[in-house]
Amino acid sequence: MLMRTDPFRELDRLTQQFLGSTGTWSRPTPMPLDAYRTSDEYVMCFDLPGVDPQAIDIDVERNMLTVKAERRPRHEGDGVKWELSERPLGVFSRQVMLSDTLDPDGIRADYDAGVLTLRIPVAEKAKPRRIAVNHTDDRKQIQA
């Protein structure tokens, strides 16, 4: 159902983690993703702890799903001296190519406890269905 769009994304993530760089709008940091399918929908969960829900953008153009988010630094006021800052800041992004078996018009998004969950319905044409078999009685055709 999903196709990876950038084979070097994991290498970029590790490099950014070791160098401590932050993502920008032109070079965003990748965000972790889990994905699974149930019988009626495809579910994707993105880790975005500490991100304001208003700072999350979800776009679908053709079959390309793009999720972007920005974690901004917290302003605690004057006179605050930071002792440690390990949580990454900046822009995070992930692009996923959706297959034709999914219905991008029905995407639902929920954000809870730092996890963005997208639910994409499986298109009707991709759902299993039973085909009825018509039966004609050969004996009636012979008698006529």
Side-chain angles (χ1 to χ4, degrees):
M1 290 276 186
L2 299 176
M3 294 186 287
R4 292 186 180 252
T5 58
D6 185 0
F8 300 104
R9 186 169 288 263
E10 187 65 16
L11 183 60
D12 288 343
R13 185 189 67 77
L14 290 172
T15 302
Q16 288 175 346
Q17 183 178 357
F18 286 121
L19 297 177
S21 60
T22 60
T24 64
W25 284 101
S26 60
R27 290 197 53 86
T29 302
M31 65 187 81
L33 163 69
D34 289 338
Y36 60 91
R37 179 181 172 173
T38 65
S39 60
D40 293 334
E41 64 186 4
Y42 207 80
V43 181
M44 290 188 279
C45 302
F46 300 86
D47 278 350
L48 293 171
V51 173
D52 182 352
Q54 300 301 317
I56 300 173
D57 293 323
I58 305 168
D59 295 314
V60 178
E61 185 174 336
R62 297 186 190 171
N63 283 0
M64 181 65 72
L65 171 74
T66 303
V67 177
K68 275 194 174 184
E70 184 175 9
R71 182 181 303 125
R72 297 177 180 99
R74 294 178 58 177
H75 298 286
E76 301 295 335
D78 295 334
V80 173
K81 180 181 174 190
W82 284 91
E83 297 294 328
L84 182 64
S85 180
E86 292 182 344
R87 298 181 337 169
L89 301 174
V91 180
F92 302 86
S93 179
R94 192 73 182 251
Q95 285 190 314
V96 178
M97 181 69 80
L98 302 177
S99 72
D100 291 333
T101 60
L102 298 176
D103 179 14
D105 294 331
I107 294 177
R108 293 185 336 260
D110 297 304
Y111 183 71
D112 184 40
V115 177
L116 173 67
T117 302
L118 300 182
R119 296 180 183 283
I120 307 169
V122 174
E124 287 299 320
K125 66 181 179 181
K127 291 181 182 177
R129 61 190 176 279
R130 182 172 287 281
I131 306 297
V133 177
N134 294 326
H135 175 68
T136 56
D137 191 355
D138 291 335
R139 287 180 281 158
K140 288 183 183 177
Q141 292 177 356
I142 295 173
Q143 292 176 357

